[in-house]
Amino acid sequence: LFTPALSPGQAFTELQAKVMDTQQKVKLADLQIEQLTKTKKHAHLTDTEVMMLVDETRMYEGVGRMFILQPKGVIHNQLLEKQRIAEEKIKELEQKKSYLERSVKEAEDNIREMLMARRAQ
């Protein structure tokens, strides 16, 4: 496919739009990481409290609008799994955020170069 060359003004506008869009994605990743961190911490604190209870304690898992009786071990494993999944998602989001930040930096550098070239003319 042939794409027509962009004028300097159009290229500059596109780069600005890319920077703004990427910065929004970075902020969204930050919010998601914060939420997952809270989820992980909540699961950890709940698990700590559950493990202090005697094994015969009746525990219920909320499923929709009902509660199901579950053994302590099942509840413990579910909370550990919830922590593990949150940790994996946090790592993925941090990698994505790092990539996006590099992308923002590259686009900003390109904008600077374009401005310097305009001033030199």
Side-chain angles (χ1 to χ4, degrees), residues 4-17:
L6 295 175
S7 71
Q10 289 172 325
F12 182 77
T13 304
E14 270 192 26
L15 278 173
Q16 279 184 317

Side-chain angles (χ1 to χ4, degrees), residues 3-4 9 11 21 25 28 30 35-36 39 43 46 48 57 62 70 83 87 89 92 94-96 104 107 109:
T3 55
D21 181 53
K25 289 179 182 176
L28 178 63
D30 280 336
Q35 184 62 40
L36 285 167
T39 300
T46 304
T48 302
T57 304
Q70 294 283 16
Q83 291 176 63
E87 186 63 36
K89 288 181 181 178
E92 289 173 14
E94 285 174 345
Q95 289 174 348
K96 179 181 175 183
V104 166
D109 290 345

Side-chain angles (χ1 to χ4, degrees), residues 22-83:
T22 308
Q23 285 174 334
Q24 284 181 326
K25 289 179 182 176
V26 169
K27 287 179 185 176
L28 178 63
D30 280 336
L31 290 172
Q32 290 174 329
I33 288 170
E34 184 181 330
Q35 184 62 40
L36 285 167
T37 303
K38 287 178 184 177
T39 300
K40 181 181 158 192
K41 184 175 181 178
H42 183 267
H44 174 72
L45 292 172
T46 304
D47 188 47
T48 302
E49 291 297 318
V50 165
M51 293 313 292
M52 285 194 273
L53 300 171
V54 292
D55 289 341
E56 293 78 31
T57 304
R58 295 172 66 92
M59 296 185 192
Y60 295 88
E61 173 190 6
V63 179
R65 293 176 12 185
M66 67 179 175
F67 295 92
I68 299 175
L69 181 64
Q70 294 283 16
K72 180 180 172 181
V74 171
I75 300 290
H76 172 67
N77 289 337
Q78 288 174 345
L79 291 168
L80 290 178
E81 182 69 9
K82 195 173 193 178
Q83 291 176 63

Side-chain angles (χ1 to χ4, degrees), residues 97-108:
K97 180 181 163 190
S98 174
Y99 168 77
L100 290 170
E101 287 172 339
R102 283 193 308 271
S103 177
V104 166
K105 186 177 178 344
E106 288 173 11
E108 287 174 342

